[in-house]
Amino acid sequence: MLFTTSPSIPCGSLKGGSSIHSRSDIIYSMAASSFTRCLVRSYFCVKCVDHVQTRLQTTTRMFCVSASRSSFVDAPKAQFTDTEVQDILTKITGLDLKKVFRPIRQQLTPPKYKLVTDTELEEAVRKAEEQAKHLLKMPPVLPERKPINDVLYEDQMLEGMDTAKYVFTDINFNVPHRERFIVVREPSGTLRKATWNERDRLIQVYFPKEGRKITPPPIFKEENLRVVFEQDRHEDVLNQCIVQFEPDSAEFKNVLMLTYEDIEKHGKYDLLRSTRFFGGLTWHLVNGRRIDGLLVDMLQRDLMQDAVRLVHLFNLVHPQSESAQQAQTQQATDLDLLKIYAQYESNRAGFIELAVQTCEQAKALSSF
Amino acid sequence: MVHLSSFLLKTYHGGHVVIRLALGGATNRPFYRIVAAYNKRARDSKYIEQLGSYDPLPNIHNEKLVAFNYERIKYWIACGAHTTKPVAKLLGLAGFFPLHPMTITEAERRQKAASIEEVKTDSQEQVEEAL
């Protein structure tokens, strides 16, 4: 029997105002809206922020979209959405319950204490882990959306009819936002489809989503981002970015790229370690072939398994690289992978080899 | 059940459903709701269904925002609703209806007025230069 605090985590159910975007999405959102009470062994009150739930709904919606889009890229190269890649990335992200459920700036309720048996406590921890996995769902990496340049009509006889544009939106509730008709009639008479920015703005006007502003807040400008990075608040920026922008928009990718670059420059990998952005960070670094910093950081924190998985991921994504080919021929596993990588690809070979040796010695000692 | 206009109007002889603009907003700030209502009802009073909105004042991006629920508009037109002139013009500009002839006529009138203005200012400038 143990005393534990029970924070109230009302996972907000689907709000009346939120629209259902696609059929398959309904199933995802239904699963997300079941109420779960999670007991966490912490002394703080933690409340699930409502807009975290809407963010989750966004990401689940986008997952449906990404599954169809990634099918036409070259087959042998690993994609972000492959099960193996996702597996590796989730394992690297880790599951530090204390960090996932740390207090977010929220209205506090006094903590509730419950008297539970050991089995109930285990059950509660298991539920908390499931909830944490849900919160750790990675924002999708999609190819950048192509600009819309469709002109429907060109009517020169309407020229000069008005000084302002007319923007027509279809406010039918059952249409997914991606398929909504939004057209613009220019003063010159042309009837064209609206650009992506106009679409996002107008969909926010007529179907407002919580946390999203109509004009992007000034935090996403470069100078302000620099200030925020100095204060080590990368995660807050990324959370806001997910709420504000669509995952395949240029601004979203730009902000993500700036954040990842800054983290890599200063080696602050631990800031994102148990959050949902770690997968995206790793993917970005692996694609740019710059995993040395991250690898060194992992070895310094004695995360051997994670380091091995990282190198494995690198080999999956770059099958033509030397280390991948050597690993193939030698059928290497675990620490040998690290050694091969250190030999062929890395710039900090010395450090990696030293770390591998110490690990092997530690294993040998512990086996005695 | 299909809402046939005459079926709805058993007690409403000679009336019909219209799709029209109902005015709202504040002083010097109009805002229209595109609405399916009975013909004889007051302009802003109880309507059957709201089908969209129209904001006649342009916003920061110089846009006049119009919203239409095309599915429901199709349904009401199928039930025998009539549209008023401004609604027909807006739907024509949207591409849902063919262009309203008055839109074209107004555009031509404006172009004519603009060209007369130009000729006037040109001749004025010439006179000033000659002096």
Side-chain angles (χ1 to χ4, degrees):
Chain A
M1 301 253 251
L2 280 169
F3 280 99
T4 48
T5 58
S6 125
S8 45
I9 305 187
C11 307
S13 48
L14 270 179
K15 295 202 181 128
S18 68
S19 47
I20 298 176
H21 304 298
S22 67
R23 297 270 158 76
S24 50
D25 184 56
I26 296 173
I27 305 166
Y28 279 103
S29 330
M30 291 291 196
S33 70
S34 59
F35 274 83
T36 43
R37 285 276 142 100
C38 307
L39 295 173
V40 175
R41 209 184 288 171
S42 80
Y43 299 108
F44 305 102
C45 264
V46 173
K47 217 172 192 181
C48 203
V49 185
D50 261 355
H51 66 80
V52 170
Q53 200 66 14
T54 39
R55 260 183 276 135
L56 292 170
Q57 285 175 20
T58 331
T59 52
T60 45
R61 158 161 74 97
M62 284 308 136
F63 252 125
C64 302
V65 174
S66 68
S68 58
R69 281 200 195 187
S70 58
S71 51
F72 52 80
V73 199
D74 30 306
K77 190 176 167 182
Q79 285 301 309
F80 188 71
T81 42
D82 290 347
T83 27
E84 215 184 321
V85 171
Q86 284 290 313
D87 218 25
I88 295 177
L89 289 176
T90 26
K91 281 188 190 140
I92 298 182
T93 311
L95 197 75
D96 185 9
L97 284 174
K98 282 220 168 107
K99 191 170 174 195
V100 174
F101 288 117
R102 77 179 181 289
I104 318 168
R105 224 174 288 125
Q106 261 292 281
Q107 288 169 337
L108 283 180
T109 50
K112 292 186 206 146
Y113 295 93
K114 274 191 186 175
L115 202 57
V116 281
T117 54
D118 276 331
T119 37
E120 279 181 22
L121 180 66
E122 280 164 21
E123 174 73 20
V125 170
R126 194 184 56 79
K127 275 194 185 161
E129 281 186 1
E130 272 177 34
Q131 168 76 353
K133 274 192 201 141
H134 205 52
L135 284 173
L136 284 180
K137 213 156 185 190
M138 283 180 251
V141 173
L142 300 166
E144 197 169 316
R145 55 191 183 187
K146 303 211 177 86
I148 309 177
N149 290 323
D150 237 344
V151 170
L152 300 171
Y153 283 124
E154 300 221 13
D155 288 315
Q156 268 81 37
M157 53 187 151
L158 282 184
E159 212 170 303
M161 91 188 146
D162 205 349
T163 43
K165 306 184 255 188
Y166 282 89
V167 181
F168 300 96
T169 329
D170 182 13
I171 49 174
N172 198 359
F173 204 66
N174 292 333
V175 171
H177 287 323
R178 291 273 156 154
E179 292 164 32
R180 211 168 272 286
F181 283 119
I182 302 185
V183 290
V184 177
R185 176 77 78 169
E186 301 271 350
S188 64
T190 37
L191 184 67
R192 62 171 174 85
K193 286 194 184 167
T195 56
W196 280 115
N197 284 334
E198 287 170 351
R199 282 189 72 93
D200 286 339
R201 191 160 39 90
L202 284 159
I203 288 174
Q204 178 59 16
V205 165
Y206 290 112
F207 299 96
K209 203 155 80 140
E210 202 189 324
R212 207 179 259 207
K213 310 263 159 64
I214 294 191
T215 38
I219 196 174
F220 296 118
K221 295 204 187 122
E222 296 222 7
E223 323 83 57
N224 301 329
L225 275 179
R226 254 181 270 142
V227 170
V228 170
F229 291 153
E230 273 165 37
Q231 296 176 359
D232 277 359
R233 290 166 66 185
H234 300 79
E235 208 190 322
D236 302 330
V237 170
L238 287 174
N239 281 333
Q240 237 190 329
C241 180
I242 283 195
V243 175
Q244 178 67 33
F245 298 121
E246 298 276 309
D248 51 356
S249 63
E251 300 93 3
F252 182 80
K253 284 185 175 288
N254 189 35
V255 171
L256 280 191
M257 199 198 62
L258 287 171
T259 326
Y260 295 152
E261 295 295 322
D262 182 81
I263 287 184
E264 220 230 299
K265 202 164 65 162
H266 301 289
K268 299 180 190 166
Y269 305 103
D270 201 45
L271 283 173
L272 291 190
R273 181 142 268 143
S274 207
T275 61
R276 56 210 291 237
F277 306 109
F278 200 74
L281 170 66
T282 336
W283 183 256
H284 177 85
L285 293 175
V286 166
N287 272 339
R289 285 170 171 247
R290 289 177 297 172
I291 61 173
D292 290 327
L294 185 55
L295 206 54
V296 161
D297 180 78
M298 279 176 175
L299 293 170
Q300 275 174 344
R301 290 173 204 270
D302 287 331
L303 296 165
M304 279 298 157
Q305 281 297 312
D306 282 353
V308 166
R309 284 189 200 119
L310 184 59
V311 178
H312 184 51
L313 179 65
F314 180 85
N315 293 340
L316 280 174
V317 173
H318 298 282
Q320 306 94 10
S321 70
E322 288 191 26
S323 87
Q325 283 166 348
Q326 286 296 318
Q328 265 272 308
T329 47
Q330 295 178 23
Q331 293 290 312
T333 50
D334 284 355
L335 298 171
D336 301 327
L337 265 180
L338 280 174
K339 280 191 213 155
I340 295 170
Y341 175 77
Q343 234 182 327
Y344 286 103
E345 292 281 340
S346 148
N347 296 329
R348 299 200 222 176
F351 189 89
I352 298 179
E353 280 172 10
L354 195 61
V356 169
Q357 274 174 11
T358 38
C359 183
E360 277 181 334
Q361 281 170 9
K363 253 200 207 170
L365 279 174
S366 64
S367 63
F368 279 139
Chain B
M1 198 203 130
V2 178
H3 279 123
L4 286 171
S5 189
S6 50
F7 190 74
L8 269 175
L9 304 169
K10 270 197 288 210
T11 50
Y12 210 176
H13 301 290
H16 52 92
V17 178
V18 273
I19 301 178
R20 63 187 181 192
L21 299 175
L23 179 62
T27 320
N28 290 324
R29 207 308 176 204
F31 181 83
Y32 297 98
R33 284 161 292 153
I34 299 162
V35 130
Y38 287 126
N39 176 35
K40 293 294 183 187
R41 276 274 187 186
R43 180 194 66 192
D44 296 340
S45 84
K46 194 164 144 189
Y47 48 79
I48 308 176
E49 190 182 346
Q50 179 175 357
L51 304 169
S53 66
Y54 167 50
D55 181 6
L57 299 186
N59 65 9
I60 315 175
H61 307 273
N62 200 23
E63 299 162 349
K64 293 187 183 176
L65 298 181
V66 185
F68 282 122
N69 191 343
Y70 292 118
E71 282 295 321
R72 295 304 295 169
I73 292 177
K74 277 193 259 184
Y75 171 79
W76 281 113
I77 293 181
C79 288
H82 301 201
T83 50
T84 53
K85 220 169 41 164
V87 172
K89 282 188 186 169
L90 281 177
L91 285 170
L93 284 177
F96 192 63
F97 277 6
L99 270 186
H100 199 271
M102 282 314 286
T103 328
I104 306 178
T105 317
E106 273 168 23
E108 285 176 358
R109 285 176 188 168
R110 280 208 200 184
Q111 280 166 11
K112 240 202 219 167
S115 60
I116 291 173
E117 278 281 330
E118 259 188 56
V119 167
K120 247 198 209 171
T121 45
D122 279 343
S123 59
Q124 269 185 4
E125 277 171 20
Q126 279 180 359
V127 165
E128 278 168 23
E129 274 175 35
L131 287 172

